């Protein structure tokens, strides 16, 4: 089950397809994350094209709206045949249940659905002062993860350092998808709470999301293979 997801944070179809061309000869097709930037620029057609090329897709659109709207939107995403998608746990258990309903196809299959707990860009101070959430970040993450589990979701996206809190609260089977990955010998960019692919494996991540260490590497295929070697095997 463990896999490396490549965050394809590009702003046009040409850029992302040019990047994926580099993997054309590879036996292992990378699992690709399409975020808001690319989706809003290139639309559902880029999802279909990347699927046609044989990649699995995590569509990272972080939905957060009234339950009925989220349910109907999830139905559209499910028809796009993505493999994983997500929403904000802050949208409530009702919204998460509605999302699952929308996502489930008539034959009972559906993409993996994970929840964002608290974005890693949210500090405890801002959460308490601006959002009036008086719990600690760790308690908030554990509680939102438990809500996601109660709603029937498959897991959460969290920093690798939080994966153990989530597993403790929700069980080993509950999926932890973790960005904030850097090689031991590389720059941190703007990420703060980071870890290496090997350490993420030890902590218990199920999927790591890796962007710039692969997309901005001189040899992206070699960087991807290094992640796979450290994290998957
Ligand atoms: O380039 P980098 O490896 O930092 O990219 C990480 C990816 O994971 C980006 O697409 C970023 O938006 C996403 N992400 C994150 N932290 C979160 C949630 C998502 O870095 N908490």
């Amino acid at each position: 089950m463990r896999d490396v997801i490549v965050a394809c944070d590009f702003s046009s179809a040409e850029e992302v397809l040019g990047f994926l061309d580099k993997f054309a000869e590879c036996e292992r097709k990378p699992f690709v994350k399409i975020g808001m930037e690319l989706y809003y620029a290139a639309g559902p057609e880029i999802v279909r094209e990347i699927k046609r090329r044989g990649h699995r897709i995590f569509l990272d659109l972080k939905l957060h709206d009234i339950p009925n709207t989220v349910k109907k939107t999830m139905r559209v995403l499910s028809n796009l045949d993505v493999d994983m998608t997500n929403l904000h746990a802050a949208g409530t258990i009702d919204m998460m249940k509605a999302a699952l309903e929308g996502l489930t196809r008539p034959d009972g299959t559906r993409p993996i659905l994970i929840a964002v707990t608290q974005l890693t860009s949210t500090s405890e101070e801002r959460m308490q002062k601006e959002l009036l959430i008086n719990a600690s970040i760790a308690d908030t993450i554990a509680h939102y993860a438990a809500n996601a589990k109660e709603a029937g979701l498959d897991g959460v996206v969290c920093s690798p350092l939080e994966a153990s809190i989530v597993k403790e609260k929700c069980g080993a089977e509950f999926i932890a998808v973790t960005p904030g990955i850097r090689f031991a010998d590389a720059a941190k960019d703007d990420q703060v709470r980071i870890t290496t692919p090997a350490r993420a494996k030890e902590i218990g991540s199920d999927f790591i999301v890796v962007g710039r260490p692969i997309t901005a590497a001189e040899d992206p295929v070699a960087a991807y293979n290094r992640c796979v070697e450290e994290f998957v095997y």
Side-chain angles (χ1 to χ4, degrees):
M1 150 80 114
R2 260 198 323 271
D3 208 348
V4 175
I5 302 179
V6 182
C8 288
D9 295 322
F10 298 104
S11 55
S12 71
E14 295 69 38
E15 278 175 277
V16 69
L17 295 178
F19 170 75
L20 292 176
D21 280 344
K22 300 185 203 300
F23 294 85
E25 304 303 318
C26 299
E27 207 175 297
R28 191 186 182 96
K29 297 268 176 230
F31 200 133
V32 165
K33 178 170 91 77
I34 298 178
M36 288 187 238
E37 182 187 1
L38 181 60
Y39 191 75
Y40 290 143
E45 192 41 42
I46 193 63
V47 176
R48 294 191 191 98
E49 176 56 28
I50 294 175
K51 275 302 277 193
R52 269 196 292 272
R53 291 174 170 224
H55 298 270
R56 283 186 294 158
I57 294 181
F58 168 22
L59 191 55
D60 176 20
L61 298 183
K62 300 188 178 72
L63 300 195
H64 188 172
D65 208 318
I66 60 170
N68 187 53
T69 301
V70 170
K71 178 176 163 180
K72 286 173 19 192
T73 307
M74 286 296 184
R75 183 153 297 146
V76 173
L77 301 185
S78 186
N79 287 338
L80 263 182
D81 201 22
V82 298
D83 299 277
M84 181 188 290
T85 191
N86 63 358
L87 44 62
H88 274 282
T92 74
I93 292 176
D94 271 358
M95 187 201 80
M96 292 191 270
K97 283 183 174 167
L100 266 186
E101 258 182 67
L103 209 55
T104 305
R105 305 182 184 106
D107 66 359
T109 63
R110 63 167 174 81
I112 294 171
L113 182 60
I114 58 168
V116 176
T117 54
Q118 278 293 343
L119 292 170
T120 44
S121 52
T122 310
S123 69
E124 190 162 285
E125 193 192 357
R126 278 172 190 266
M127 196 182 79
Q128 294 177 350
K129 283 200 179 139
E130 291 180 26
L131 307 179
L132 298 183
I133 297 171
N134 278 316
S136 68
I137 277 244
D139 284 352
T140 310
I141 289 166
H143 184 64
Y144 283 20
N147 287 351
K149 186 173 182 191
E150 188 182 329
L153 269 66
D154 305 297
V156 291
V157 53
C158 59
S159 96
L161 309 173
E162 288 149 3
S164 49
I165 304 176
V166 167
K167 297 274 181 181
E168 233 168 72
K169 182 86 180 177
C170 299
E173 301 304 305
F174 200 63
I175 295 173
V177 178
T178 63
I181 303 294
R182 291 295 178 268
F183 293 121
D185 50 3
K188 287 167 74 167
D189 301 308
D190 54 353
Q191 294 282 17
V192 182
R193 304 183 67 207
I194 55 165
T195 196
T196 62
R199 181 76 189 121
K201 177 180 171 182
E202 283 169 14
I203 296 172
S205 296
D206 298 283
F207 294 91
I208 51 172
V209 176
V210 189
R212 288 160 290 178
I214 295 174
T215 55
E218 216 165 282
D219 184 346
V221 175
Y224 170 72
N225 287 336
R226 181 175 170 190
C227 282
V228 170
E229 272 154 35
E230 279 193 33
F231 182 70
V232 179
Y233 300 119

